[in-house]
PDB file of all heavy atoms in Angstrom:
ATOM      1  N   ARG A   1       0.793  -1.230   0.000  1.00  0.00           N
ATOM      2  CA  ARG A   1       0.000   0.000   0.000  1.00  0.00           C
ATOM      3  C   ARG A   1       0.825   1.279   0.000  1.00  0.00           C
ATOM      4  O   ARG A   1       0.292   2.365  -0.219  1.00  0.00           O
ATOM      5  CB  ARG A   1      -0.933  -0.010   1.207  1.00  0.00           C
ATOM      6  CG  ARG A   1      -2.007  -1.071   1.072  1.00  0.00           C
ATOM      7  CD  ARG A   1      -2.792  -1.251   2.347  1.00  0.00           C
ATOM      8  NE  ARG A   1      -3.802  -2.279   2.192  1.00  0.00           N
ATOM      9  CZ  ARG A   1      -3.566  -3.583   2.321  1.00  0.00           C
ATOM     10  NH1 ARG A   1      -2.354  -4.021   2.635  1.00  0.00           N
ATOM     11  NH2 ARG A   1      -4.541  -4.457   2.144  1.00  0.00           N
ATOM     12  N   LEU A   2       2.094   1.160   0.301  1.00  0.00           N
ATOM     13  CA  LEU A   2       2.993   2.317   0.319  1.00  0.00           C
ATOM     14  C   LEU A   2       4.172   1.980  -0.583  1.00  0.00           C
ATOM     15  O   LEU A   2       5.067   1.227  -0.191  1.00  0.00           O
ATOM     16  CB  LEU A   2       3.459   2.608   1.750  1.00  0.00           C
ATOM     17  CG  LEU A   2       4.330   3.847   1.938  1.00  0.00           C
ATOM     18  CD1 LEU A   2       3.553   5.110   1.576  1.00  0.00           C
ATOM     19  CD2 LEU A   2       4.828   3.941   3.365  1.00  0.00           C
ATOM     20  N   GLU A   3       4.118   2.510  -1.792  1.00  0.00           N
ATOM     21  CA  GLU A   3       5.124   2.163  -2.797  1.00  0.00           C
ATOM     22  C   GLU A   3       5.771   3.428  -3.338  1.00  0.00           C
ATOM     23  O   GLU A   3       5.088   4.405  -3.640  1.00  0.00           O
ATOM     24  CB  GLU A   3       4.478   1.390  -3.946  1.00  0.00           C
ATOM     25  CG  GLU A   3       3.807   0.114  -3.482  1.00  0.00           C
ATOM     26  CD  GLU A   3       3.006  -0.567  -4.567  1.00  0.00           C
ATOM     27  OE1 GLU A   3       2.291   0.141  -5.317  1.00  0.00           O
ATOM     28  OE2 GLU A   3       3.105  -1.796  -4.659  1.00  0.00           O
ATOM     29  N   LEU A   4       7.080   3.374  -3.478  1.00  0.00           N
ATOM     30  CA  LEU A   4       7.862   4.501  -3.968  1.00  0.00           C
ATOM     31  C   LEU A   4       8.764   4.014  -5.090  1.00  0.00           C
ATOM     32  O   LEU A   4       9.508   3.044  -4.913  1.00  0.00           O
ATOM     33  CB  LEU A   4       8.678   5.090  -2.807  1.00  0.00           C
ATOM     34  CG  LEU A   4       9.406   6.399  -3.023  1.00  0.00           C
ATOM     35  CD1 LEU A   4       8.459   7.518  -3.473  1.00  0.00           C
ATOM     36  CD2 LEU A   4      10.115   6.814  -1.738  1.00  0.00           C
ATOM     37  N   ILE A   5       8.667   4.661  -6.245  1.00  0.00           N
ATOM     38  CA  ILE A   5       9.447   4.302  -7.433  1.00  0.00           C
ATOM     39  C   ILE A   5      10.286   5.522  -7.815  1.00  0.00           C
ATOM     40  O   ILE A   5       9.743   6.627  -7.949  1.00  0.00           O
ATOM     41  CB  ILE A   5       8.514   3.940  -8.616  1.00  0.00           C
ATOM     42  CG1 ILE A   5       7.489   2.892  -8.223  1.00  0.00           C
ATOM     43  CG2 ILE A   5       9.308   3.527  -9.844  1.00  0.00           C
ATOM     44  CD1 ILE A   5       8.038   1.545  -7.900  1.00  0.00           C
ATOM     45  N   ASP A   6      11.593   5.344  -8.011  1.00  0.00           N
ATOM     46  CA  ASP A   6      12.423   6.509  -8.359  1.00  0.00           C
ATOM     47  C   ASP A   6      12.135   6.953  -9.800  1.00  0.00           C
ATOM     48  O   ASP A   6      11.414   6.291 -10.545  1.00  0.00           O
ATOM     49  CB  ASP A   6      13.907   6.250  -8.084  1.00  0.00           C
ATOM     50  CG  ASP A   6      14.583   5.325  -9.079  1.00  0.00           C
ATOM     51  OD1 ASP A   6      14.025   5.033 -10.148  1.00  0.00           O
ATOM     52  OD2 ASP A   6      15.706   4.872  -8.772  1.00  0.00           O
ATOM     53  N   ARG A   7      12.713   8.077 -10.187  1.00  0.00           N
ATOM     54  CA  ARG A   7      12.397   8.649 -11.506  1.00  0.00           C
ATOM     55  C   ARG A   7      12.874   7.788 -12.665  1.00  0.00           C
ATOM     56  O   ARG A   7      12.443   7.986 -13.789  1.00  0.00           O
ATOM     57  CB  ARG A   7      12.916  10.077 -11.608  1.00  0.00           C
ATOM     58  CG  ARG A   7      14.410  10.215 -11.559  1.00  0.00           C
ATOM     59  CD  ARG A   7      14.811  11.688 -11.757  1.00  0.00           C
ATOM     60  NE  ARG A   7      16.112  11.931 -11.218  1.00  0.00           N
ATOM     61  CZ  ARG A   7      16.357  12.633 -10.130  1.00  0.00           C
ATOM     62  NH1 ARG A   7      15.366  13.189  -9.477  1.00  0.00           N
ATOM     63  NH2 ARG A   7      17.573  12.800  -9.699  1.00  0.00           N
ATOM     64  N   THR A   8      13.729   6.799 -12.406  1.00  0.00           N
ATOM     65  CA  THR A   8      14.174   5.888 -13.477  1.00  0.00           C
ATOM     66  C   THR A   8      13.296   4.637 -13.547  1.00  0.00           C
ATOM     67  O   THR A   8      13.528   3.771 -14.381  1.00  0.00           O
ATOM     68  CB  THR A   8      15.643   5.460 -13.278  1.00  0.00           C
ATOM     69  OG1 THR A   8      15.737   4.630 -12.116  1.00  0.00           O
ATOM     70  CG2 THR A   8      16.566   6.664 -13.135  1.00  0.00           C
ATOM     71  N   GLY A   9      12.314   4.525 -12.649  1.00  0.00           N
ATOM     72  CA  GLY A   9      11.412   3.389 -12.661  1.00  0.00           C
ATOM     73  C   GLY A   9      11.797   2.260 -11.719  1.00  0.00           C
ATOM     74  O   GLY A   9      11.145   1.223 -11.687  1.00  0.00           O
ATOM     75  N   ARG A  10      12.831   2.459 -10.921  1.00  0.00           N
ATOM     76  CA  ARG A  10      13.255   1.431  -9.966  1.00  0.00           C
ATOM     77  C   ARG A  10      12.561   1.629  -8.620  1.00  0.00           C
ATOM     78  O   ARG A  10      12.504   2.748  -8.111  1.00  0.00           O
ATOM     79  CB  ARG A  10      14.769   1.501  -9.749  1.00  0.00           C
ATOM     80  CG  ARG A  10      15.564   1.112 -10.956  1.00  0.00           C
ATOM     81  CD  ARG A  10      17.065   1.068 -10.615  1.00  0.00           C
ATOM     82  NE  ARG A  10      17.824   1.033 -11.826  1.00  0.00           N
ATOM     83  CZ  ARG A  10      18.684   1.969 -12.215  1.00  0.00           C
ATOM     84  NH1 ARG A  10      18.925   3.002 -11.443  1.00  0.00           N
ATOM     85  NH2 ARG A  10      19.319   1.861 -13.356  1.00  0.00           N
ATOM     86  N   PRO A  11      12.088   0.537  -8.032  1.00  0.00           N
ATOM     87  CA  PRO A  11      11.479   0.652  -6.704  1.00  0.00           C
ATOM     88  C   PRO A  11      12.505   1.105  -5.666  1.00  0.00           C
ATOM     89  O   PRO A  11      13.658   0.684  -5.703  1.00  0.00           O
ATOM     90  CB  PRO A  11      11.015  -0.770  -6.384  1.00  0.00           C
ATOM     91  CG  PRO A  11      10.996  -1.490  -7.687  1.00  0.00           C
ATOM     92  CD  PRO A  11      12.022  -0.825  -8.555  1.00  0.00           C
ATOM     93  N   ILE A  12      12.080   1.970  -4.771  1.00  0.00           N
ATOM     94  CA  ILE A  12      12.892   2.355  -3.625  1.00  0.00           C
ATOM     95  C   ILE A  12      12.437   1.477  -2.466  1.00  0.00           C
ATOM     96  O   ILE A  12      11.278   1.558  -2.047  1.00  0.00           O
ATOM     97  CB  ILE A  12      12.729   3.846  -3.282  1.00  0.00           C
ATOM     98  CG1 ILE A  12      13.244   4.710  -4.437  1.00  0.00           C
ATOM     99  CG2 ILE A  12      13.445   4.183  -1.970  1.00  0.00           C
ATOM    100  CD1 ILE A  12      12.993   6.203  -4.263  1.00  0.00           C
ATOM    101  N   ALA A  13      13.317   0.612  -2.011  1.00  0.00           N
ATOM    102  CA  ALA A  13      12.974  -0.312  -0.928  1.00  0.00           C
ATOM    103  C   ALA A  13      12.770   0.469   0.368  1.00  0.00           C
ATOM    104  O   ALA A  13      13.614   1.268   0.765  1.00  0.00           O
ATOM    105  CB  ALA A  13      14.076  -1.350  -0.754  1.00  0.00           C
ATOM    106  N   LEU A  14      11.633   0.221   0.993  1.00  0.00           N
ATOM    107  CA  LEU A  14      11.333   0.812   2.297  1.00  0.00           C
ATOM    108  C   LEU A  14      11.411  -0.303   3.321  1.00  0.00           C
ATOM    109  O   LEU A  14      10.626  -1.249   3.281  1.00  0.00           O
ATOM    110  CB  LEU A  14       9.951   1.467   2.280  1.00  0.00           C
ATOM    111  CG  LEU A  14       9.779   2.618   1.298  1.00  0.00           C
ATOM    112  CD1 LEU A  14       8.341   3.120   1.293  1.00  0.00           C
ATOM    113  CD2 LEU A  14      10.750   3.749   1.606  1.00  0.00           C
ATOM    114  N   HIS A  15      12.358  -0.194   4.220  1.00  0.00           N
ATOM    115  CA  HIS A  15      12.618  -1.230   5.218  1.00  0.00           C
ATOM    116  C   HIS A  15      11.919  -0.884   6.531  1.00  0.00           C
ATOM    117  O   HIS A  15      12.009   0.241   7.017  1.00  0.00           O
ATOM    118  CB  HIS A  15      14.123  -1.389   5.455  1.00  0.00           C
ATOM    119  CG  HIS A  15      14.866  -1.676   4.190  1.00  0.00           C
ATOM    120  ND1 HIS A  15      14.883  -2.916   3.610  1.00  0.00           N
ATOM    121  CD2 HIS A  15      15.583  -0.864   3.388  1.00  0.00           C
ATOM    122  CE1 HIS A  15      15.604  -2.877   2.512  1.00  0.00           C
ATOM    123  NE2 HIS A  15      16.029  -1.639   2.344  1.00  0.00           N
ATOM    124  N   TRP A  16      11.242  -1.864   7.068  1.00  0.00           N
ATOM    125  CA  TRP A  16      10.523  -1.693   8.319  1.00  0.00           C
ATOM    126  C   TRP A  16      11.493  -1.417   9.454  1.00  0.00           C
ATOM    127  O   TRP A  16      12.520  -2.069   9.577  1.00  0.00           O
ATOM    128  CB  TRP A  16       9.709  -2.954   8.635  1.00  0.00           C
ATOM    129  CG  TRP A  16       8.960  -2.826   9.903  1.00  0.00           C
ATOM    130  CD1 TRP A  16       9.259  -3.389  11.105  1.00  0.00           C
ATOM    131  CD2 TRP A  16       7.785  -2.059  10.120  1.00  0.00           C
ATOM    132  NE1 TRP A  16       8.340  -3.025  12.049  1.00  0.00           N
ATOM    133  CE2 TRP A  16       7.414  -2.192  11.468  1.00  0.00           C
ATOM    134  CE3 TRP A  16       6.999  -1.239   9.296  1.00  0.00           C
ATOM    135  CZ2 TRP A  16       6.304  -1.562  12.013  1.00  0.00           C
ATOM    136  CZ3 TRP A  16       5.891  -0.613   9.847  1.00  0.00           C
ATOM    137  CH2 TRP A  16       5.562  -0.780  11.188  1.00  0.00           C
ATOM    138  N   GLU A  17      11.161  -0.434  10.302  1.00  0.00           N
ATOM    139  CA  GLU A  17      11.953  -0.165  11.500  1.00  0.00           C
ATOM    140  C   GLU A  17      11.181  -0.524  12.763  1.00  0.00           C
ATOM    141  O   GLU A  17      11.619  -1.345  13.536  1.00  0.00           O
ATOM    142  CB  GLU A  17      12.399   1.300  11.548  1.00  0.00           C
ATOM    143  CG  GLU A  17      13.546   1.574  10.615  1.00  0.00           C
ATOM    144  CD  GLU A  17      14.240   2.881  10.935  1.00  0.00           C
ATOM    145  OE1 GLU A  17      13.595   3.826  11.433  1.00  0.00           O
ATOM    146  OE2 GLU A  17      15.451   2.942  10.689  1.00  0.00           O
ATOM    147  N   ARG A  18      10.012   0.124  12.960  1.00  0.00           N
ATOM    148  CA  ARG A  18       9.280  -0.158  14.193  1.00  0.00           C
ATOM    149  C   ARG A  18       7.893   0.470  14.152  1.00  0.00           C
ATOM    150  O   ARG A  18       7.615   1.359  13.358  1.00  0.00           O
ATOM    151  CB  ARG A  18      10.034   0.365  15.399  1.00  0.00           C
ATOM    152  CG  ARG A  18      10.046   1.874  15.534  1.00  0.00           C
ATOM    153  CD  ARG A  18      10.904   2.352  16.693  1.00  0.00           C
ATOM    154  NE  ARG A  18      10.851   3.779  16.850  1.00  0.00           N
ATOM    155  CZ  ARG A  18      11.477   4.670  16.111  1.00  0.00           C
ATOM    156  NH1 ARG A  18      12.227   4.266  15.105  1.00  0.00           N
ATOM    157  NH2 ARG A  18      11.373   5.960  16.353  1.00  0.00           N
ATOM    158  N   LEU A  19       7.077  -0.004  15.062  1.00  0.00           N
ATOM    159  CA  LEU A  19       5.743   0.535  15.308  1.00  0.00           C
ATOM    160  C   LEU A  19       5.794   1.215  16.675  1.00  0.00           C
ATOM    161  O   LEU A  19       6.353   0.667  17.615  1.00  0.00           O
ATOM    162  CB  LEU A  19       4.741  -0.620  15.312  1.00  0.00           C
ATOM    163  CG  LEU A  19       3.292  -0.268  15.618  1.00  0.00           C
ATOM    164  CD1 LEU A  19       2.383  -1.103  14.732  1.00  0.00           C
ATOM    165  CD2 LEU A  19       2.988  -0.527  17.072  1.00  0.00           C
ATOM    166  N   GLU A  20       5.224   2.387  16.761  1.00  0.00           N
ATOM    167  CA  GLU A  20       5.244   3.143  18.016  1.00  0.00           C
ATOM    168  C   GLU A  20       3.821   3.585  18.353  1.00  0.00           C
ATOM    169  O   GLU A  20       3.100   4.077  17.481  1.00  0.00           O
ATOM    170  CB  GLU A  20       6.156   4.357  17.818  1.00  0.00           C
ATOM    171  CG  GLU A  20       6.257   5.297  18.961  1.00  0.00           C
ATOM    172  CD  GLU A  20       7.135   6.504  18.617  1.00  0.00           C
ATOM    173  OE1 GLU A  20       7.824   6.523  17.588  1.00  0.00           O
ATOM    174  OE2 GLU A  20       7.092   7.451  19.422  1.00  0.00           O
ATOM    175  N   HIS A  21       3.424   3.400  19.586  1.00  0.00           N
ATOM    176  CA  HIS A  21       2.114   3.863  20.048  1.00  0.00           C
ATOM    177  C   HIS A  21       2.245   5.321  20.491  1.00  0.00           C
ATOM    178  O   HIS A  21       3.180   5.680  21.203  1.00  0.00           O
ATOM    179  CB  HIS A  21       1.622   3.008  21.217  1.00  0.00           C
ATOM    180  CG  HIS A  21       1.332   1.600  20.809  1.00  0.00           C
ATOM    181  ND1 HIS A  21       0.084   1.189  20.414  1.00  0.00           N
ATOM    182  CD2 HIS A  21       2.136   0.520  20.701  1.00  0.00           C
ATOM    183  CE1 HIS A  21       0.130  -0.089  20.097  1.00  0.00           C
ATOM    184  NE2 HIS A  21       1.362  -0.521  20.261  1.00  0.00           N
ATOM    185  N   ALA A  22       1.283   6.159  20.063  1.00  0.00           N
ATOM    186  CA  ALA A  22       1.284   7.575  20.421  1.00  0.00           C
ATOM    187  C   ALA A  22      -0.159   7.991  20.699  1.00  0.00           C
ATOM    188  O   ALA A  22      -0.863   8.468  19.814  1.00  0.00           O
ATOM    189  CB  ALA A  22       1.887   8.410  19.300  1.00  0.00           C
ATOM    190  N   GLY A  23      -0.614   7.743  21.906  1.00  0.00           N
ATOM    191  CA  GLY A  23      -2.000   8.051  22.253  1.00  0.00           C
ATOM    192  C   GLY A  23      -2.946   7.170  21.463  1.00  0.00           C
ATOM    193  O   GLY A  23      -2.816   5.952  21.464  1.00  0.00           O
ATOM    194  N   ASP A  24      -3.880   7.797  20.740  1.00  0.00           N
ATOM    195  CA  ASP A  24      -4.833   7.028  19.934  1.00  0.00           C
ATOM    196  C   ASP A  24      -4.318   6.756  18.524  1.00  0.00           C
ATOM    197  O   ASP A  24      -5.062   6.286  17.669  1.00  0.00           O
ATOM    198  CB  ASP A  24      -6.183   7.736  19.874  1.00  0.00           C
ATOM    199  CG  ASP A  24      -6.123   9.089  19.190  1.00  0.00           C
ATOM    200  OD1 ASP A  24      -5.014   9.573  18.890  1.00  0.00           O
ATOM    201  OD2 ASP A  24      -7.190   9.675  18.940  1.00  0.00           O
ATOM    202  N   ALA A  25      -3.042   7.024  18.308  1.00  0.00           N
ATOM    203  CA  ALA A  25      -2.440   6.828  16.988  1.00  0.00           C
ATOM    204  C   ALA A  25      -1.300   5.814  17.050  1.00  0.00           C
ATOM    205  O   ALA A  25      -0.787   5.495  18.123  1.00  0.00           O
ATOM    206  CB  ALA A  25      -1.914   8.152  16.449  1.00  0.00           C
ATOM    207  N   LEU A  26      -0.938   5.332  15.875  1.00  0.00           N
ATOM    208  CA  LEU A  26       0.253   4.502  15.712  1.00  0.00           C
ATOM    209  C   LEU A  26       1.184   5.225  14.758  1.00  0.00           C
ATOM    210  O   LEU A  26       0.735   5.829  13.777  1.00  0.00           O
ATOM    211  CB  LEU A  26      -0.106   3.138  15.111  1.00  0.00           C
ATOM    212  CG  LEU A  26      -1.011   2.242  15.937  1.00  0.00           C
ATOM    213  CD1 LEU A  26      -1.379   1.003  15.132  1.00  0.00           C
ATOM    214  CD2 LEU A  26      -0.336   1.848  17.241  1.00  0.00           C
ATOM    215  N   LEU A  27       2.463   5.178  15.052  1.00  0.00           N
ATOM    216  CA  LEU A  27       3.480   5.715  14.154  1.00  0.00           C
ATOM    217  C   LEU A  27       4.232   4.527  13.573  1.00  0.00           C
ATOM    218  O   LEU A  27       4.810   3.729  14.309  1.00  0.00           O
ATOM    219  CB  LEU A  27       4.441   6.637  14.903  1.00  0.00           C
ATOM    220  CG  LEU A  27       3.804   7.813  15.632  1.00  0.00           C
ATOM    221  CD1 LEU A  27       4.856   8.613  16.379  1.00  0.00           C
ATOM    222  CD2 LEU A  27       3.032   8.697  14.679  1.00  0.00           C
ATOM    223  N   LEU A  28       4.199   4.420  12.260  1.00  0.00           N
ATOM    224  CA  LEU A  28       4.835   3.319  11.557  1.00  0.00           C
ATOM    225  C   LEU A  28       6.108   3.860  10.909  1.00  0.00           C
ATOM    226  O   LEU A  28       6.035   4.718  10.028  1.00  0.00           O
ATOM    227  CB  LEU A  28       3.876   2.755  10.507  1.00  0.00           C
ATOM    228  CG  LEU A  28       2.434   2.529  10.995  1.00  0.00           C
ATOM    229  CD1 LEU A  28       1.527   2.160   9.843  1.00  0.00           C
ATOM    230  CD2 LEU A  28       2.397   1.489  12.091  1.00  0.00           C
ATOM    231  N   HIS A  29       7.260   3.391  11.361  1.00  0.00           N
ATOM    232  CA  HIS A  29       8.550   3.925  10.931  1.00  0.00           C
ATOM    233  C   HIS A  29       9.205   3.008   9.895  1.00  0.00           C
ATOM    234  O   HIS A  29       9.316   1.799  10.122  1.00  0.00           O
ATOM    235  CB  HIS A  29       9.500   4.056  12.129  1.00  0.00           C
ATOM    236  CG  HIS A  29       9.044   5.035  13.164  1.00  0.00           C
ATOM    237  ND1 HIS A  29       9.496   6.333  13.202  1.00  0.00           N
ATOM    238  CD2 HIS A  29       8.167   4.914  14.198  1.00  0.00           C
ATOM    239  CE1 HIS A  29       8.928   6.963  14.218  1.00  0.00           C
ATOM    240  NE2 HIS A  29       8.124   6.119  14.834  1.00  0.00           N
ATOM    241  N   LEU A  30       9.653   3.624   8.791  1.00  0.00           N
ATOM    242  CA  LEU A  30      10.381   2.904   7.750  1.00  0.00           C
ATOM    243  C   LEU A  30      11.599   3.726   7.359  1.00  0.00           C
ATOM    244  O   LEU A  30      11.688   4.918   7.673  1.00  0.00           O
ATOM    245  CB  LEU A  30       9.488   2.693   6.520  1.00  0.00           C
ATOM    246  CG  LEU A  30       8.191   1.948   6.775  1.00  0.00           C
ATOM    247  CD1 LEU A  30       7.028   2.915   6.744  1.00  0.00           C
ATOM    248  CD2 LEU A  30       7.993   0.868   5.754  1.00  0.00           C
ATOM    249  N   ARG A  31      12.505   3.095   6.644  1.00  0.00           N
ATOM    250  CA  ARG A  31      13.691   3.806   6.158  1.00  0.00           C
ATOM    251  C   ARG A  31      14.066   3.257   4.793  1.00  0.00           C
ATOM    252  O   ARG A  31      13.643   2.177   4.396  1.00  0.00           O
ATOM    253  CB  ARG A  31      14.851   3.647   7.122  1.00  0.00           C
ATOM    254  CG  ARG A  31      15.311   2.215   7.248  1.00  0.00           C
ATOM    255  CD  ARG A  31      16.521   2.028   8.146  1.00  0.00           C
ATOM    256  NE  ARG A  31      16.658   0.631   8.498  1.00  0.00           N
ATOM    257  CZ  ARG A  31      17.039  -0.332   7.664  1.00  0.00           C
ATOM    258  NH1 ARG A  31      17.335  -0.045   6.426  1.00  0.00           N
ATOM    259  NH2 ARG A  31      17.119  -1.584   8.066  1.00  0.00           N
ATOM    260  N   GLY A  32      14.840   4.034   4.087  1.00  0.00           N
ATOM    261  CA  GLY A  32      15.312   3.612   2.773  1.00  0.00           C
ATOM    262  C   GLY A  32      16.449   4.500   2.320  1.00  0.00           C
ATOM    263  O   GLY A  32      16.926   5.356   3.066  1.00  0.00           O
ATOM    264  N   THR A  33      16.849   4.282   1.083  1.00  0.00           N
ATOM    265  CA  THR A  33      17.891   5.094   0.467  1.00  0.00           C
ATOM    266  C   THR A  33      17.371   5.545  -0.892  1.00  0.00           C
ATOM    267  O   THR A  33      16.857   4.725  -1.660  1.00  0.00           O
ATOM    268  CB  THR A  33      19.191   4.281   0.281  1.00  0.00           C
ATOM    269  OG1 THR A  33      19.580   3.777   1.564  1.00  0.00           O
ATOM    270  CG2 THR A  33      20.305   5.137  -0.263  1.00  0.00           C
ATOM    271  N   ALA A  34      17.516   6.823  -1.168  1.00  0.00           N
ATOM    272  CA  ALA A  34      17.070   7.379  -2.443  1.00  0.00           C
ATOM    273  C   ALA A  34      18.231   8.133  -3.081  1.00  0.00           C
ATOM    274  O   ALA A  34      18.326   9.354  -2.977  1.00  0.00           O
ATOM    275  CB  ALA A  34      15.871   8.284  -2.229  1.00  0.00           C
ATOM    276  N   PRO A  35      19.149   7.397  -3.740  1.00  0.00           N
ATOM    277  CA  PRO A  35      20.342   8.034  -4.311  1.00  0.00           C
ATOM    278  C   PRO A  35      20.032   9.133  -5.322  1.00  0.00           C
ATOM    279  O   PRO A  35      20.749  10.125  -5.397  1.00  0.00           O
ATOM    280  CB  PRO A  35      21.078   6.875  -4.990  1.00  0.00           C
ATOM    281  CG  PRO A  35      20.546   5.649  -4.351  1.00  0.00           C
ATOM    282  CD  PRO A  35      19.141   5.965  -3.936  1.00  0.00           C
ATOM    283  N   ALA A  36      18.950   8.981  -6.098  1.00  0.00           N
ATOM    284  CA  ALA A  36      18.602   9.976  -7.114  1.00  0.00           C
ATOM    285  C   ALA A  36      17.691  11.063  -6.572  1.00  0.00           C
ATOM    286  O   ALA A  36      17.239  11.928  -7.316  1.00  0.00           O
ATOM    287  CB  ALA A  36      17.936   9.283  -8.305  1.00  0.00           C
ATOM    288  N   GLY A  37      17.406  11.031  -5.279  1.00  0.00           N
ATOM    289  CA  GLY A  37      16.510  12.018  -4.695  1.00  0.00           C
ATOM    290  C   GLY A  37      15.056  11.657  -4.937  1.00  0.00           C
ATOM    291  O   GLY A  37      14.748  10.596  -5.484  1.00  0.00           O
TER     292      GLY A  37
END
């Protein structure tokens, strides 16, 4: 459901980090590398 493709058409891998509880919300943390911006 959360997909990021760089301007050359290559997928930017989003790696799971953690889930954090914040009151009535959840914060879903991911990380990746985007060499081309």
Side-chain angles (χ1 to χ4, degrees):
R1 292 170 180 83
L2 184 63
E3 301 172 317
L4 189 56
I5 308 294
D6 74 13
R7 65 177 158 251
T8 68
R10 292 186 195 117
I12 296 174
L14 298 176
H15 304 282
W16 180 256
E17 283 196 330
R18 71 185 183 283
L19 177 141
E20 177 183 349
H21 293 267
D24 63 352
L26 297 174
L27 303 178
L28 314 172
H29 296 264
L30 303 106
R31 64 177 164 71
T33 303

